Amino acid sequence: MDALSGAGPRRARGLGAAGPGSSCRAARPPAPWARFSAWLECVCVVTFDLELGQALELVYPNDFRLTDKEKSSICYLSFPDSHSGCLGDTQFSFRMRQCGGQRSPWHANDRHYHSRAPVALQREPAHYFGYVYFRQVKDSSVKRGYFQKSLVLVSRLPFVQLFQALLSLIAPEYFDKLAPCLEAVCSEIDQWPVPMPGQTLNLPVMGVVVQVHIPSRVDKSESSPPKQRDQENLLPAPMVLASVHELDLFSCLQPLRFCCDFRPYFTIHDSEFKEFTTRTQAPPNVVLGVTNPFFIKTLQHWPHILRVGEPKMSGDLPKQVKLKKPSRLKTLDTKPGLYTAYTAYLHRDKALLKRLLKGVQKKRPSDVQSALLRRHLLELTQSFIIPLEHYMASLMPLQKSITPWKTPPQIRPFSQDDFLRSLEHAGPQLTCILKGDWLGLYRRFFKSPHFDGWYRQRHKEMALKLEALHLEAICEANIETWMKDKSEVEVVDLVLKLREKLVRAQGHQLPVKEATLQRAQLYIETVIGSLPKDLQAVLCPP
């Protein structure tokens, strides 16, 4: 699945805000579609053509460029696969690889957003999400006898719940009124405030105000849905979304980012079909969502296959779920179930299973059932991650070892053996009642891409914290005493290093207070003022 956005020049998509240290310059007006592009890359309409098959009918804004390969991927992924009998409206999403690799930063506020957003909700640098609303209804005026069309929102943000709710408002109206309606909606989105972690935003569209809370890193895990803000008398009352991103169990692993590839929807026409289905090498680290029965036979050698059956009538009790070996998955009429070569390291939580089954018997609402399961998985994940977090914190140099005029000490390396030994007294058994081979589970985790992704992210955050502590130590020291016996070269070197730290801090990369930034700027001015006029002119050109 290649990607959405094309090669070659594109319009400027930044927000036009002045950069760090540019207070003397007038702020430039926002670029065209700047606020729109903070939420969406583009909107596509895919239709069925008798001669061409799926065809891209419209891309909006119309100056957004797509390569032929990208157009083909979007077309095939925007229609249900092998579901000709799927009448009515259907919503789903897909994820596709960007063509040409990572581009330069596309939004001026990305650093600020990423510094505050949970890692699982950060913008994708090399993939796009496609959110689809597909309609198939009988239509005698069409040669094929059916109206078949998809409206697709393309974004780098994994806001599943928000964009599906948005499509449920936009798509029915668009299918009736077509392009003029779509242009009006895009113009409304271009007036929205940019997504800012920790804030509750009111997003007006088509006469409805959608109210959402953008999660931040400091939010509590079990935060309550956003409430209508008292100071705003909104008429009509807003449509409040409990989450921008949760899709039932979507947030249960948010303490731990999924670092492999995943495709919520995948077809045989995908450009990476051969890459993923080859038998000449081990199966790739990817999760594929498919509907074509062809994949059951083609991928029967994969170690994990979950086959979902037809939805049951409300109130039907599920049969006892058993794990089955992949060797039993041989025919196209195989029964629904989980076929896996994986051996679980932890025992089942039988009490939880009983609660869920009892809820089915009593017809407990599905959102309550989902909340029970989500809370269980969240607590299990936290019990697994907390010992890792504690061990990582122990690798950080002590604050008293950070002195202003020396390079700060390094973060100590992660030792798997030392960590495993620490589990005897500070392991997951302190917060979780489940028994099992926790050591084996951690050893398997160390071999996975998820550990590498988690470790890199935590190490990066710790390195930035270390740099911030060093800047604070410098700002708390007596700069004039330090300068007394220093050469001009040493003083100039300090100015350059302080400026570099200040630029990084102002770009929201360093977690420092505003008072520290002001003091650092004062120190720079003090140091430059102590130098000869010729050096001052070099360091501060007019």
Side-chain angles (χ1 to χ4, degrees):
M1 282 178 202
D2 284 288
L4 231 180
S5 86
R10 289 175 56 187
R11 66 180 184 280
R13 301 180 73 86
L15 292 177
S22 59
S23 56
C24 58
R25 299 193 299 270
R28 292 173 293 172
W33 297 105
R35 291 191 174 187
F36 174 90
S37 64
W39 294 91
L40 296 172
E41 293 294 309
C42 66
V43 179
C44 299
V45 177
V46 181
T47 190
F48 189 89
D49 185 278
L50 275 176
E51 296 179 358
L52 302 175
Q54 285 103 309
L56 195 61
E57 182 179 282
L58 175 69
V59 178
Y60 201 86
N62 52 24
D63 60 347
F64 190 93
R65 299 189 178 187
L66 295 167
T67 65
D68 290 339
K69 197 172 185 180
E70 292 162 346
K71 291 176 182 178
S72 177
S73 293
I74 294 170
C75 287
Y76 281 118
L77 289 169
S78 298
F79 272 43
D81 189 18
S82 299
H83 270 268
S84 57
C86 184
L87 288 175
D89 294 348
T90 306
Q91 284 190 255
F92 58 95
S93 63
F94 61 82
R95 180 175 179 263
M96 55 190 289
R97 188 183 297 169
Q98 178 183 330
C99 195
Q102 183 174 350
R103 292 196 177 89
S104 57
W106 54 92
H107 295 299
N109 73 323
D110 261 8
R111 281 182 183 168
H112 196 189
Y113 177 84
H114 284 179
S115 68
R116 299 186 178 189
V119 290
L121 296 185
Q122 293 181 357
R123 285 190 176 93
E124 287 271 0
H127 289 82
Y128 293 100
F129 292 99
Y131 303 97
V132 184
Y133 193 107
F134 169 72
R135 173 169 288 185
Q136 177 172 261
V137 293
K138 290 183 178 180
D139 187 345
S140 58
S141 65
V142 181
K143 281 187 178 181
R144 202 162 182 255
Y146 288 92
F147 172 94
Q148 295 173 306
K149 191 167 291 192
S150 286
L151 181 62
V152 188
L153 304 182
V154 180
S155 176
R156 293 182 185 270
L157 293 168
F159 291 173
V160 184
Q161 188 77 351
L162 170 62
F163 290 128
Q164 288 191 345
L166 191 60
L167 277 170
S168 68
L169 294 171
I170 300 172
E173 191 78 5
Y174 167 73
F175 290 137
D176 290 337
K177 299 182 180 178
L178 301 180
C181 166
L182 199 57
E183 292 179 15
V185 166
C186 290
S187 295
E188 283 189 291
I189 295 174
D190 195 40
Q191 303 302 314
W192 287 3
V194 297
M196 193 59 62
Q199 291 189 2
T200 298
L201 305 177
N202 290 317
L203 311 176
V205 60
M206 298 185 66
V208 177
V209 176
V210 180
Q211 190 173 100
V212 297
H213 177 76
I214 309 297
S216 74
R217 296 190 181 193
V218 298
D219 285 348
K220 294 181 180 179
S221 299
E222 294 292 326
S223 57
S224 57
K227 297 178 180 179
Q228 182 177 346
R229 291 181 280 185
D230 297 335
Q231 65 270 28
E232 298 190 25
N233 297 317
L234 299 172
L235 293 174
M239 181 174 79
V240 179
L241 296 185
S243 167
V244 293
H245 65 287
E246 286 182 1
L247 191 60
D248 287 338
L249 306 177
F250 198 75
S251 71
C252 60
L253 296 177
Q254 185 175 318
L256 178 63
R257 185 172 192 169
F258 183 76
C259 295
C260 294
D261 200 354
F262 64 96
R263 309 299 173 87
Y265 180 53
F266 190 82
T267 77
I268 60 174
H269 302 287
D270 195 279
S271 59
E272 293 157 272
F273 173 75
K274 289 184 179 179
E275 175 187 337
F276 286 165
T277 57
T278 180
R279 289 194 178 221
T280 58
Q281 57 191 25
N285 290 323
V286 63
V287 178
L288 300 182
V290 301
T291 58
N292 194 330
F294 171 80
F295 283 101
I296 296 178
K297 183 176 181 181
T298 305
L299 303 182
Q300 61 181 296
H301 63 293
W302 278 30
H304 318 290
I305 298 176
L306 174 64
R307 184 163 188 192
V308 182
E310 295 296 324
K312 294 181 178 294
M313 296 296 290
S314 178
D316 285 358
L317 281 174
K319 295 180 179 179
Q320 178 67 31
V321 178
K322 293 184 178 180
L323 299 182
K324 306 165 187 177
K325 294 295 181 182
S327 58
R328 297 183 60 187
L329 187 67
K330 294 294 183 184
T331 61
L332 294 181
D333 60 349
T334 302
K335 295 179 180 179
L338 175 60
Y339 298 80
T340 179
Y342 178 79
T343 301
Y345 288 89
L346 304 181
H347 302 158
R348 294 184 187 180
D349 189 332
K350 295 181 179 179
L352 174 71
L353 293 175
K354 287 181 179 178
R355 289 182 69 188
L356 292 174
L357 288 173
K358 191 173 182 179
V360 174
Q361 290 176 321
K362 293 188 173 183
K363 298 183 179 181
R364 185 184 293 151
S366 61
D367 56 342
V368 178
Q369 291 280 84
S370 178
L372 285 173
L373 190 53
R374 182 165 61 244
R375 184 178 182 86
H376 166 76
L377 293 175
L378 176 63
E379 291 175 349
L380 192 60
T381 306
Q382 288 176 334
S383 294
F384 179 82
I385 287 293
I386 287 172
L388 286 162
E389 293 284 357
H390 286 170
Y391 178 74
M392 278 296 291
S394 73
L395 304 179
M396 184 79 168
L398 296 176
Q399 189 163 352
K400 65 181 181 181
S401 66
I402 302 171
T403 57
W405 315 122
K406 292 183 180 179
T407 302
Q410 297 293 309
I411 299 169
R412 293 191 299 280
F414 190 104
S415 168
Q416 295 182 13
D417 290 337
D418 288 349
F419 168 74
L420 293 174
R421 280 192 291 269
S422 73
L423 295 179
E424 183 178 354
H425 303 291
Q429 72 275 7
L430 299 179
T431 56
C432 182
I433 61 172
L434 284 188
K435 304 295 183 181
D437 183 11
W438 285 98
L439 290 179
L441 184 59
Y442 280 112
R443 288 192 180 100
R444 184 180 176 106
F445 178 61
F446 290 147
K447 297 177 182 177
S448 74
H450 310 301
F451 170 72
D452 182 67
W454 173 84
Y455 175 74
R456 287 176 183 272
Q457 177 66 28
R458 292 295 292 116
H459 193 277
K460 178 183 176 182
E461 292 171 355
M462 290 169 65
L464 292 175
K465 180 63 176 177
L466 191 59
E467 191 175 347
L469 291 173
H470 188 228
L471 179 59
E472 290 175 359
I474 293 173
C475 291
E476 291 171 1
N478 190 320
I479 194 78
E480 294 175 349
T481 302
W482 177 85
M483 288 191 299
K484 284 181 180 179
D485 59 347
K486 297 299 182 292
S487 66
E488 289 181 356
V489 173
E490 291 175 296
V491 173
V492 170
D493 184 58
L494 176 65
V495 170
L496 296 178
K497 288 181 178 178
L498 273 177
R499 275 185 171 170
E500 181 184 351
K501 288 181 181 290
L502 190 60
V503 168
R504 284 167 61 80
Q506 289 175 324
H508 306 288
Q509 293 188 18
L510 297 184
V512 293
K513 298 177 181 178
E514 184 63 31
T516 301
L517 299 182
Q518 293 175 359
R519 175 161 262 190
Q521 183 63 50
L522 180 62
Y523 272 21
I524 292 173
E525 294 170 1
T526 301
V527 174
I528 292 177
S530 70
L531 294 169
K533 296 293 184 183
D534 57 337
L535 279 178
Q536 291 186 31
V538 172
L539 293 172
C540 290

